Amino acid sequence: MIVVTGATGNIGRTLVPLLAAAGEDVVAVSRRERPADLPAGVRHARADVGDAAGMRPVLDGADALFLLLGGELNSHGESPRALVDAAARGGVERIVLVSSQLNSTRPEAPSHARLRAFEAAVRGSGRDFTVLRPSGFASNAFAWADAVRAERTVHAPFGDVALPVVDPADIAEVAAAALREGGHAGRTYELTGPEAVSPRQQAATIAGALGEEVAFVELSREQAHAQMARFMPEEAIGGTLDVLGVPLPAERKVSGDVERVLGRPARPFAEWAARHAPAFR
Ligand SMILES: NC(=O)c1ccc[n+]([C@@H]2O[C@H](COP(=O)([O-])OP(=O)(O)OC[C@H]3O[C@@H](n4cnc5c(N)ncnc54)[C@H](OP(=O)(O)O)[C@@H]3O)[C@@H](O)[C@H]2O)c1
């Protein structure tokens, strides 16, 4: 049995059907009622990942745990050891954790201290573990969807700074491999897209997927901070803006880990934009 946290999120929405299609016994965790789009045969558990005692019965009898920290769990909450211990007591033998590329490139960043603590707990758990360290997600472009729908405009900072954004579907496929197959224990994978793309190029790609013009308006760092504060914890914003605006050479680099694990190149941003064009129409 595989327990998937963050099951309704960008990665989880792909991961759950993938595991189910492969014949795995899946328990999808979310805080709400069973989502309507969960595949038949997938069990649903209503629980809060931030509450280890509440997660304990969900983890009972599980072989593997996909551990993703949603929203505020990235900045505060119980000791990561509490959840990892609950997993161990439930019988979990394998943990796949979604962390961040920043834990390679900026190991002191205060914004990612909690993800680092989860990495340490998972590494020290005595379970088989795989740590996924993705770059910025292609799906962060959903933040532009309202303005594209309303006024065919993308408002974003650092318009010409290109970064190799990763498709969450690729993260999900790598996670599925690490959860189901041998050979990934003790590994840390850095997951990026196949090429660096700037926000201006992303806007043009979305325009191409819509078959319509989309304007680009560059925001100042302060304006971007205010925009991000609507959907990100305050603690995470500064570090994220540093990466978007002044990336280190290692953050501009394309990693080969998606291709190494999946045996095919990472998906380009254009593929994500084509799949999600209806959200921008
Ligand atoms: N976005 C990026 O550029 C980026 C880059 C590197 C790393 N990351 C990391 O990736 C992770 C986010 O992945 P994602 O985009 O797939 O997630 P997401 O779309 O933000 O979804 C996370 C899901 O977690 C659930 N959730 C939130 N708080 C919860 C809680 N307290 N208990 C149980 N479930 C909770 C929510 O579902 P319910 O409401 O249904 O419970 C939500 O759908 C974060 O750890 C982030 O640090 C993100």
Side-chain angles (χ1 to χ4, degrees):
M1 175 177 112
I2 301 176
V3 172
V4 176
T5 63
T8 58
N10 292 303
I11 301 171
R13 273 196 300 270
T14 302
L15 178 60
V16 167
L18 259 179
L19 294 172
E24 299 290 349
D25 179 13
V26 182
V27 175
V29 178
S30 81
R31 292 165 300 178
R32 289 168 285 179
E33 295 296 337
R34 182 186 174 94
D37 55 357
L38 272 191
V42 169
R43 283 181 283 154
H44 175 254
R46 195 170 180 185
D48 188 324
V49 179
D51 170 19
M55 284 292 291
R56 176 70 179 81
V58 178
L59 292 161
D60 226 5
D63 307 299
L65 168 65
F66 174 73
L67 179 52
L68 182 141
L69 305 172
E72 77 284 354
L73 298 180
N74 284 272
S75 50
H76 54 265
E78 289 180 350
S79 158
R81 283 294 302 273
L83 185 60
V84 168
D85 287 350
R89 283 202 301 278
V92 168
E93 288 163 6
R94 183 175 286 187
I95 303 177
V96 175
L97 172 72
V98 178
S99 177
S100 166
Q101 183 192 45
L102 256 84
N103 284 338
S104 309
T105 58
R106 304 183 192 230
E108 310 292 326
S111 56
H112 286 62
R114 197 153 159 80
L115 274 179
R116 283 196 296 281
F118 267 93
E119 278 202 23
V122 166
R123 289 179 199 281
S125 64
R127 314 289 104 188
D128 283 354
F129 67 85
T130 308
V131 173
L132 310 182
R133 287 179 169 173
S135 60
F137 292 5
S139 50
N140 293 345
F142 278 136
W144 305 334
D146 286 350
V148 172
R149 278 199 310 274
E151 44 173 310
R152 289 289 183 257
T153 304
V154 165
H155 303 263
F158 315 119
D160 296 306
V161 179
L163 291 168
V165 298
V166 62
D167 190 327
D170 280 345
I171 306 173
E173 279 195 45
V174 170
L179 288 162
R180 301 187 61 235
E181 302 164 4
H184 303 288
R187 300 284 175 86
T188 298
Y189 294 127
E190 199 150 318
L191 306 178
T192 73
E195 64 196 344
V197 287
S198 68
R200 201 183 301 278
Q201 289 167 325
Q202 287 176 285
T205 304
I206 291 167
L210 294 175
E212 287 186 43
E213 296 276 305
V214 172
F216 185 85
V217 173
E218 182 152 320
L219 299 180
S220 67
R221 184 179 169 117
E222 293 66 33
Q223 288 170 319
H225 192 121
Q227 192 188 61
M228 289 160 87
R230 287 190 233 132
F231 57 89
M232 272 176 83
E234 183 63 30
E235 300 83 348
I237 296 175
T240 303
L241 283 171
D242 289 345
V243 176
L244 296 179
V246 201
L248 300 170
E251 290 159 350
R252 294 178 184 266
K253 236 177 80 187
V254 169
S255 160
D257 282 354
V258 168
E259 184 155 7
R260 266 188 287 279
V261 175
L262 301 180
R264 56 142 180 93
R267 294 174 168 96
F269 181 74
E271 210 175 304
W272 183 89
R275 274 200 332 274
H276 294 284
F280 295 86
R281 249 187 244 295

